[in-house]
Amino acid sequence: MRKKTFFSYFILGLALFGFAGCKSGNVADLNILETAETSNEIVWGVKNDTRLFGLMDIPSREVKGFDIDIAKAITEKILGRDGHANFVEVTSKTRIPLLKNGNIDAIIATMTISEERKKQVDFSDVYFDAGQSLLVNKDSDIQGVDTLDENDTVLAVKGSTSAVNIRKASPKAKILELENYAEAFTALQAGQGDAMTTDNAILLGMASENPDYKLVGGTFTEEPYGIAINKGQDDFRKAVNQALKEMHEDGTYDEIYEKWFPNDDTGRVK
Ligand code: GLU
């Protein structure tokens, strides 16, 4: 009898311990929209090394770009004027783990909506249309993905769709994967690769600052950008989509788009 009671308490204790552990460590148990409303803050995972989308401006110590302005506008739509958008740096490789661990509430970081990623996270509606391309030195004779062979090394970034796509588009070429876009571009400048590949809009940001480099061959994939949100956060995902819809209706989206891409309409979502 005594033995049985002890055993029952032991099992109950185990169950409670397990439950408590689960709750405190599991992001899926939190309602991110409610948490954001309580704290008056949304924590966004953003790039810090990607001109035009999310780039750290050293003098002001502020990260700036299209993704940043869209995140700020969504935050204001959801939380009101006093709502705070907090930014945490992510790379292509770290963004999904940081979201799943609950370090950030959403990813807005040049991230393509893909079937593969949908197995792990949910996405908002498309907010930017990109496509993958190649960046080469202006003196290079590379014309596009079809002209790459076993003598060419292409630089890509870990965790990006670009690194996966280029293997299919140029199966003969050697691929060298780096940690982030700043490193990949430095490697291109240092001659560690013959071309660099990622989305056209990211490459245009690099070429605009570095006239020795040019885009070649147009785009060879479609890369629609979405905001990634943890699975099970439908309230938050719907609030983000509603905010985007309102931004299209009231002109906020176009205003932000034209600020960052005044001469290029290809990424605009209508
Ligand atoms: N849009 C592509 C992707 O989501 C490339 C840009 C990036 O690495 O963030 O992987």
Side-chain angles (χ1 to χ4, degrees):
M1 183 70 194
R2 258 184 92 183
K3 234 183 189 168
K4 201 172 172 193
T5 312
F6 173 76
F7 187 66
S8 316
Y9 279 126
F10 181 69
I11 293 294
L12 183 69
L14 266 186
L16 283 175
F17 183 76
F19 182 67
C22 198
K23 200 162 172 69
S24 63
N26 198 343
V27 188
D29 290 337
L30 295 171
N31 181 321
I32 297 296
L33 183 60
E34 277 174 16
T35 313
E37 280 163 353
T38 310
S39 62
N40 208 27
E41 173 184 82
I42 298 175
V43 184
W44 299 91
V46 297
K47 295 284 180 71
N48 273 20
D49 69 343
T50 306
R51 188 171 296 282
L52 300 177
F53 288 92
L55 184 71
M56 179 53 78
D57 176 61
I58 304 293
S60 64
R61 299 186 62 83
E62 274 180 33
V63 56
K64 294 182 176 173
F66 179 73
D67 282 346
I68 307 304
D69 286 351
I70 294 285
K72 284 181 181 165
I74 293 174
T75 305
E76 190 177 325
K77 290 273 183 215
I78 296 179
L79 299 178
R81 276 201 173 276
D82 299 332
H84 186 65
N86 194 354
F87 297 112
V88 170
E89 181 177 6
V90 299
T91 66
S92 304
K93 193 175 87 174
T94 64
R95 58 193 162 191
I96 291 183
L98 286 171
L99 181 68
K100 293 191 88 77
N101 287 343
N103 299 68
I104 51 181
D105 296 327
I107 303 167
I108 184 160
T110 66
M111 188 168 180
T112 300
I113 301 170
S114 75
E115 291 309 314
E116 198 53 36
R117 288 174 177 161
K118 277 189 197 165
K119 292 176 192 160
Q120 301 191 68
V121 296
D122 285 342
F123 283 100
S124 71
D125 295 336
V126 179
Y127 72 93
F128 188 88
D129 272 317
Q132 190 170 342
S133 193
L134 286 182
L135 184 73
V136 296
N137 188 283
K138 68 177 189 328
D139 301 326
S140 167
D141 51 16
I142 294 171
Q143 311 272 315
V145 279
D146 317 332
T147 64
L148 295 171
D149 60 27
E150 52 280 1
N151 300 315
D152 295 313
T153 299
V154 185
L155 305 162
V157 166
K158 291 178 188 169
S160 66
T161 52
S162 331
V164 177
N165 298 336
I166 190 68
R167 288 191 162 82
K168 288 186 202 138
S170 308
K172 289 188 197 148
K174 293 189 206 79
I175 315 297
L176 181 60
E177 290 187 31
L178 293 117
E179 292 299 319
N180 57 50
Y181 288 101
E183 271 187 29
F185 187 59
T186 306
L188 182 67
Q189 288 173 305
Q192 286 175 265
D194 305 290
M196 171 177 170
T197 189
T198 187
D199 300 333
N200 53 352
I202 300 177
L203 296 176
L204 278 170
M206 291 171 182
S208 70
E209 285 294 294
N210 301 276
D212 283 348
Y213 294 86
K214 61 178 182 186
L215 273 79
V216 288
T219 56
F220 59 96
T221 66
E222 282 177 13
E223 307 289 329
Y225 291 177
I227 296 162
I229 290 162
N230 269 312
K231 286 196 176 288
Q233 299 295 339
D234 284 351
D235 291 348
F236 184 47
R237 191 176 48 77
K238 282 179 194 153
V240 166
N241 279 339
Q242 178 61 27
L244 279 172
K245 187 168 170 265
E246 286 172 24
M247 285 159 60
H248 279 288
E249 284 163 3
D250 68 13
T252 313
Y253 176 89
D254 284 337
E255 201 179 296
I256 296 172
Y257 185 90
E258 278 146 31
K259 173 178 167 191
W260 293 100
F261 307 100
N263 307 313
D264 180 357
D265 221 31
T266 53
R268 191 196 300 256
V269 172
K270 302 266 164 37

